[in-house]
Amino acid sequence: MIPTKKRILLAEDEEHLLEAIKLNLELEGYKVSTANNGKKALQIFKEERFNLVILDVMMPEIDGFVVAETIRLENSEVPIMFLTAKNTNEDKISGLKKGADDYLTKPFNLEELILRVNNLVKRSLKGDDLKEFNSYKIGEKTIHFNSFELVNEDGSITALTKKETMLLKLLIERRNEAVSREQILETVWNYDVYPSTRTIDNFILTFRKYFEPDPKNPVYFHSIRGVGYKFTDLH
């Protein structure tokens, strides 16, 4: 039996499957918190600490991929497993790129699910072998994500807001790719507040002031007309 202190967040919108998985995990001794949509899953994740997150990909409100991306902005250690009916290599690669540690296609054997869960939880208890994405250097300035600080060339410190830090982290993690406004809304704002395009533009303008040698001719932070925004890594 697994001690009950090991906690799992299970997000699945098919009620019968949710209950079946929950029952089997509880029989293994896990404490299971459940959600039937992505928005609720994120709310629960922020309120509790988990050893594993299991996410259905196709969920109401916010899909599993976006939930995983949002979790990864604040926590790079908790293991994430996707459950999905999609089984193409492209779907699996997409899921792993979003930060998943495992990917199980439906229909699946519950015994296999339990084995995979046990392995992921054991790894979480030992400490993830992935390095915490704590800092990132742009030019001569360094962002420290945990402390919401920007260390300038002269050693002085600029305080960053939580939203600035989350948006920076999202753009940096997706560096050299265009990130849509919709993705930014979902991952940084979680649909709680709908910032206007102008609001997001203002964040990008602030980043240019922080990092660009010439803010009027940006080399790092770009607005992609009709799409969204892109951070270019010059390393």
Side-chain angles (χ1 to χ4, degrees):
M1 290 287 286
I2 306 290
T4 55
K5 66 180 179 181
K6 297 179 180 64
R7 304 176 62 86
I8 294 175
L9 171 58
L10 170 63
E12 166 64 61
D13 67 328
E14 294 180 45
E15 186 176 350
H16 70 284
L17 185 55
L18 178 74
E19 291 302 322
I21 295 173
K22 181 175 186 286
L23 175 61
N24 279 270
L25 291 173
E26 288 177 341
L27 288 172
E28 288 291 309
Y30 291 108
K31 171 69 175 175
V32 183
S33 297
T34 61
N36 57 11
N37 65 68
K39 187 171 184 179
K40 185 177 178 183
L42 283 173
Q43 289 171 346
I44 294 173
F45 184 81
K46 290 180 179 180
E47 294 168 358
E48 303 177 38
R49 188 174 183 86
F50 295 98
N51 299 102
L52 173 65
V53 178
I54 302 174
L55 300 172
D56 179 33
V57 171
M58 302 301 292
M59 288 190 292
E61 302 282 350
I62 304 174
D63 70 39
F65 285 157
V66 174
V67 173
E69 278 190 305
T70 306
I71 287 173
R72 281 290 176 251
L73 286 176
E74 298 190 21
N75 187 317
S76 66
E77 295 185 349
V78 63
I80 296 175
M81 176 192 289
F82 279 130
L83 304 179
T84 180
K86 297 181 177 182
N87 60 2
T88 67
N89 285 333
E90 290 80 6
D91 290 319
K92 291 180 180 178
I93 290 169
S94 178
L96 294 171
K97 281 184 175 179
K98 302 296 184 185
D101 300 273
D102 205 351
Y103 194 105
L104 194 56
T105 55
K106 301 175 183 178
F108 51 80
N109 181 291
L110 279 169
E111 188 175 352
E112 180 183 1
L113 172 68
I114 296 298
L115 286 172
R116 293 190 183 207
V117 165
N118 288 343
N119 287 336
L120 288 171
V121 170
K122 283 178 185 175
R123 195 183 79 180
S124 81
L125 295 175
K126 290 179 193 172
D128 201 303
D129 57 3
L130 295 175
K131 290 184 178 179
E132 178 72 31
F133 188 28
N134 284 334
S135 63
Y136 191 86
K137 192 169 184 178
I138 300 177
E140 296 302 315
K141 301 185 177 185
T142 303
I143 306 161
H144 292 280
F145 296 103
N146 289 345
S147 59
F148 307 129
E149 291 178 338
L150 172 64
V151 179
N152 300 298
E153 301 98 318
D154 60 2
S156 63
I157 293 175
T158 301
L160 300 172
T161 68
K162 185 174 182 181
K163 285 288 189 286
E164 284 177 337
T165 306
M166 291 178 71
L167 181 52
L168 279 169
K169 193 167 189 181
L170 174 62
L171 293 172
I172 290 168
E173 288 185 339
R174 299 284 297 277
R175 52 193 172 275
N176 304 320
E177 297 178 26
V179 182
S180 72
R181 294 181 182 87
E182 181 73 9
Q183 288 173 309
I184 291 171
L185 284 172
E186 291 176 337
T187 55
V188 178
W189 273 269
N190 296 336
Y191 284 129
D192 293 335
V193 179
Y194 284 86
S196 66
T197 299
R198 176 61 60 191
T199 301
I200 304 176
D201 281 342
N202 286 338
F203 274 77
I204 300 300
L205 289 173
T206 299
F207 295 162
R208 288 173 180 164
K209 290 177 184 176
Y210 287 160
F211 300 104
E212 302 285 1
D214 179 3
K216 293 183 179 179
N217 295 289
V219 293
Y220 296 113
F221 293 93
H222 307 276
S223 297
I224 310 299
R225 186 179 295 276
V227 180
Y229 309 87
K230 180 175 76 170
F231 168 70
T232 300
D233 185 349
L234 299 181
H235 292 163

